[in-house]
Amino acid sequence: MSRVAIVIMAAGKGTRLKSKRPKVLHEIGGKPLLSHVIAAALEIVPAEDIYVVIGHEAERVKSATGSTGVRFVLQAEQRGTGHAIQCAQSSVEGYEHILVLSGDVPLIRSQTIAGIRDFHLEQHAAMTILTAAPDDPHGYGRVLRKTPASVEVSAIVEQKALTPEQAKAPEINSGIYAFQSGSLFRHIGKLETANAHAEYYLTDMACLLVDAGERVVALETEFPNEVLGANTIAELMMLDATLRNKTVHKLMAEGVTIIRPETGLIDAAVLVGGDTIIEPGVQLLGNTRIGENCRIRSYSVLENATIGDGVLIRQGSIVVDATIEANAMIGPYSHIRPGSEIGEGAHVGNFVETKKLKLGKGSKANHLSYLGDANIGSGVNLGAGVITCNYDGVDKHTTTIGEGVFVGSNSTLIAPITIGDGTYIAAGSCITHDVPQDALALGRARQTNKPGWARDRRERLARNQKP
Ligand code: UD1
Ligand code: MG
């Protein structure tokens, strides 16, 4: 196999999006456009052979995608797609072939990239263009073949330069190409800017190479959807819907029941085990992982959540950057915040908020609690309204509760504090000191009853009201 580099053009501003965010960092399926393209490229060549051309907001693009290990090339001024490749010349001219991808064509599959590479090599072409025939070709460059049946191309004509006759051509330029690098760099200096945008168009390479007697061919993809570009918010949202639809179908094929999938939102990286049921209106975001045999009830939002097998998440719960172990029950309306680890078979119920909570196996916090920065053992029962007071206005402090503890309703536990195994905290207590193992702690005012006081008061009021 010849040495192949991939260049991804990602320096453009994305004027048509009317956004301050660079185009390639706009997201579909919960991930930036460019990250989708890099992921596909990584299935073809190693990271060190991938060169991303950046320019507009270069640092922002680099920090969002740099962890993949790809290399970056700077195109300080964006003077067109041809100029983007000129900027990459010194980095990639040592490779025999160069595959060019567009950072704003995110649904491209690695199989298709491999397909254009293989076709290009078989055809001994100087340039190979990936094309498609979508329902609506408007806005794309059109690829003109020498004759309709010919594999060879004579030119690519941009939308704005099309003659009425050429506008009837159904085949669009996907913005994805393979080049023999010797031919590309021998002629790329001849690109000119006599066009609607006064830019160096990479598409003009087709004509230049043909004029130089080189072979330019086209390969049409069977899946026009995968080469659609995202140039406007409307196009972006269409690609988002296409990708999410694909994700949902993949999960359903793996045995996941997703009821009325069009009502919810599932990001592309989400994994779900078989026999799990996802109810309407659920959002599964980021790197959420869900086990088998779970039920995620309506309007719950799970973001970067790790959920074991057999878990029930009831309606309207939020789980972010947290782990729920097997057979636990969450909700309705629980908010499980970052760093929480809810143990096997544990219950966290109505209107309970947790943050950095480690809750042991089988423990229960079923009603109206705040549990933050707390390590709680197994078999613990936390009554309604138990609050860990973790913040003193300056620092956060930890609450530690042993095993088999009973904390009565409406108790406040003022951290830092340690409550021993087997203890019993009386309801309504304000606990400010550590409690030793197996003790009863009471931290509340003693009740006094005044017999007859209420009746006497009623009578007194009634007497005073007489005329
Ligand atoms: C381009 C093609 C068009 C094709 C379409 C497919 C050209 C002239 N036209 O048009 O034939 O049908 O893609 O989606 O190439 N970029 C840079 N530096 C620049 C300019 C652009 O890196 O100076 C990057 C952009 O960030 C983008 C990609 O190149 O990721 C394509 O640029 P864009 O402006 O979107 O080109 P289109 O108008 O879509
Ligand atoms: Mg584009």
Side-chain angles (χ1 to χ4, degrees):
M1 171 74 53
S2 323
R3 282 233 309 144
V4 172
I6 293 184
V7 177
I8 304 175
M9 301 183 292
K13 181 168 181 237
T15 313
R16 287 163 283 180
L17 289 172
K18 304 204 169 55
S19 161
K20 291 199 175 68
R21 199 186 327 175
K23 167 154 72 172
V24 295
L25 294 189
H26 276 261
E27 295 187 355
I28 65 163
K31 230 168 56 171
L33 297 178
L34 179 57
S35 303
H36 290 282
V37 181
I38 290 175
L42 280 169
E43 290 186 41
I44 304 296
V45 296
E48 65 264 26
D49 295 327
I50 299 176
Y51 297 80
V52 181
V53 183
I54 53 175
H56 179 70
E57 295 255 29
E59 282 311 309
R60 218 169 140 188
V61 176
K62 204 169 169 178
S63 68
T65 55
S67 63
T68 53
V70 297
R71 298 172 193 251
F72 292 95
V73 173
L74 189 67
Q75 183 193 18
E77 224 185 311
Q78 291 81 58
R79 300 169 68 193
T81 45
H83 181 245
I85 301 302
Q86 286 173 343
C87 291
Q89 177 167 353
S90 59
S91 309
V92 299
E93 62 192 344
Y95 292 87
E96 278 176 54
H97 297 278
I98 293 159
L99 298 170
V100 176
L101 308 179
S102 284
D104 68 338
V105 180
L107 297 183
I108 189 70
R109 297 171 315 139
S110 58
Q111 296 92 312
T112 303
I113 303 172
I116 180 176
R117 174 199 60 199
D118 296 345
F119 187 75
H120 172 76
L121 297 175
E122 277 162 39
Q123 289 285 325
H124 301 288
M127 175 180 188
T128 302
I129 305 154
L130 182 70
T131 69
D135 296 338
D136 178 13
H138 185 86
Y140 292 91
R142 252 27 88 70
V143 176
L144 307 178
R145 298 195 184 234
K146 287 190 170 170
T147 64
S150 169
V151 71
E152 286 191 64
V153 166
S154 53
I156 304 174
V157 183
E158 289 303 287
Q159 174 74 41
K160 287 189 176 159
L162 288 170
T163 63
E165 197 51 37
Q166 289 169 334
K168 292 182 194 144
E171 202 171 359
I172 65 148
N173 168 28
S174 67
I176 293 167
Y177 319 87
F179 288 99
Q180 200 272 321
S181 63
S183 306
L184 171 66
F185 293 121
R186 242 188 332 274
H187 300 288
I188 199 168
K190 297 182 199 162
L191 288 176
E192 288 176 5
T193 58
N195 55 51
H197 292 109
E199 287 185 345
Y200 296 98
Y201 286 173
L202 186 58
T203 47
D204 288 344
M205 284 308 300
C207 226
L208 280 180
L209 288 167
V210 171
D211 287 350
E214 302 254 18
R215 185 173 166 78
V216 178
V217 301
L219 173 69
E220 185 182 331
T221 169
E222 294 164 55
F223 307 103
N225 275 349
E226 72 176 316
V227 299
L228 297 179
N231 298 300
T232 62
I233 300 277
E235 284 176 2
L236 199 63
M237 289 304 100
M238 254 161 56
L239 297 192
D240 180 75
T242 304
L243 179 59
R244 290 186 189 282
N245 196 29
K246 194 170 146 192
T247 307
V248 157
H249 278 87
K250 184 198 83 169
L251 292 174
M252 294 200 290
E254 289 165 2
V256 183
T257 299
I258 306 173
I259 306 170
R260 300 289 303 275
E262 70 281 10
T263 62
L265 214 54
I266 302 185
D267 281 354
V270 169
L271 300 176
V272 184
D275 287 316
T276 285
I277 299 173
I278 314 286
E279 293 191 2
V282 166
Q283 296 192 15
L284 305 178
L285 309 176
N287 288 317
T288 290
R289 305 274 176 269
I290 300 178
E292 294 178 359
N293 236 335
C294 296
R295 189 170 190 112
I296 315 297
R297 307 216 57 184
S298 289
Y299 307 114
S300 290
V301 178
L302 278 54
E303 187 172 351
N304 302 321
T306 304
I307 312 286
D309 294 338
V311 168
L312 170 63
I313 310 247
R314 293 196 179 94
Q315 291 88 336
S317 297
I318 300 172
V319 182
V320 181
D321 296 316
T323 301
I324 315 284
E325 288 177 17
N327 302 317
M329 287 201 261
I330 307 295
Y333 309 110
S334 300
H335 187 183
I336 312 295
R337 292 172 47 204
S340 296
E341 295 171 27
I342 309 302
E344 193 182 327
H347 295 186
V348 176
N350 308 257
F351 304 103
V352 174
E353 175 184 352
T354 76
K355 189 221 54 175
K356 276 197 198 159
L357 163 71
K358 289 194 177 41
L359 187 63
K361 192 171 171 179
S363 290
K364 292 175 185 165
N366 272 329
H367 326 272
L368 301 157
S369 280
Y370 172 68
L371 304 168
D373 300 304
N375 297 319
I376 300 179
S378 59
V380 170
N381 189 88
L382 298 146
V386 170
I387 306 287
T388 56
C389 305
N390 60 330
Y391 186 47
D392 60 12
V394 180
D395 294 312
K396 301 279 170 65
H397 302 281
T398 304
T399 298
T400 304
I401 300 180
E403 314 230 316
V405 173
F406 181 94
V407 183
S409 292
N410 209 31
S411 292
T412 50
L413 311 173
I414 303 197
I417 198 157
T418 300
I419 293 171
D421 291 346
T423 53
Y424 199 102
I425 311 285
S429 291
C430 177
I431 301 296
T432 53
H433 295 97
D434 289 355
V435 182
Q437 193 174 336
D438 295 321
L440 164 68
L442 290 126
R444 64 192 187 204
R446 188 173 284 276
Q447 179 177 339
T448 41
N449 290 345
K450 300 192 173 178
W453 182 93
R455 184 201 57 226
D456 293 349
R457 177 172 176 270
R458 274 193 306 275
E459 288 174 1
R460 198 167 56 245
L461 288 173
R463 269 198 308 277
N464 290 345
Q465 271 167 19
K466 285 214 175 114

Coordinates of all heavy atoms in Angstrom, one line a residue, residues 16 23 104-105 229-231, ligand 2:
R16 N -22.1 31.4 6.6 CA -23.5 31.2 6.5 C -24.2 30.7 7.7 O -25.4 30.7 7.8 CB -23.7 30.2 5.3 CG -23.4 30.7 4.0 CD -23.2 29.7 2.9 NE -21.9 29.1 3.0 CZ -21.5 28.1 2.1 NH1 -22.3 27.6 1.2 NH2 -20.2 27.6 2.3
K23 N -17.3 27.0 12.4 CA -18.2 26.0 11.8 C -17.9 24.6 12.3 O -18.8 23.9 12.7 CB -18.2 26.1 10.3 CG -18.9 24.9 9.6 CD -19.4 25.2 8.3 CE -18.3 25.4 7.2 NZ -19.0 25.5 5.9
D104 N -16.6 20.1 7.3 CA -18.0 20.3 7.4 C -18.9 19.2 6.7 O -20.0 19.5 6.4 CB -18.4 21.7 6.9 CG -18.2 21.9 5.4 OD1 -17.5 21.1 4.8 OD2 -18.8 22.8 4.8
V105 N -18.3 18.1 6.4 CA -19.0 17.0 5.8 C -18.9 15.8 6.7 O -18.0 14.9 6.6 CB -18.5 16.7 4.4 CG1 -19.2 15.5 3.7 CG2 -18.6 17.9 3.5
G229 N -23.2 18.5 3.2 CA -22.4 19.4 4.0 C -23.3 20.2 5.0 O -24.5 20.3 4.8
A230 N -22.7 20.8 6.0 CA -23.4 21.6 7.0 C -23.0 23.1 6.8 O -22.0 23.5 7.5 CB -23.1 21.1 8.4
N231 N -23.7 23.8 6.0 CA -23.3 25.2 5.8 C -24.2 26.2 6.4 O -23.8 27.4 6.6 CB -23.2 25.5 4.3 CG -22.2 24.6 3.6 OD1 -21.0 24.7 3.9 ND2 -22.6 23.8 2.6
Ligands
MG2 MG -19.2 23.4 2.9

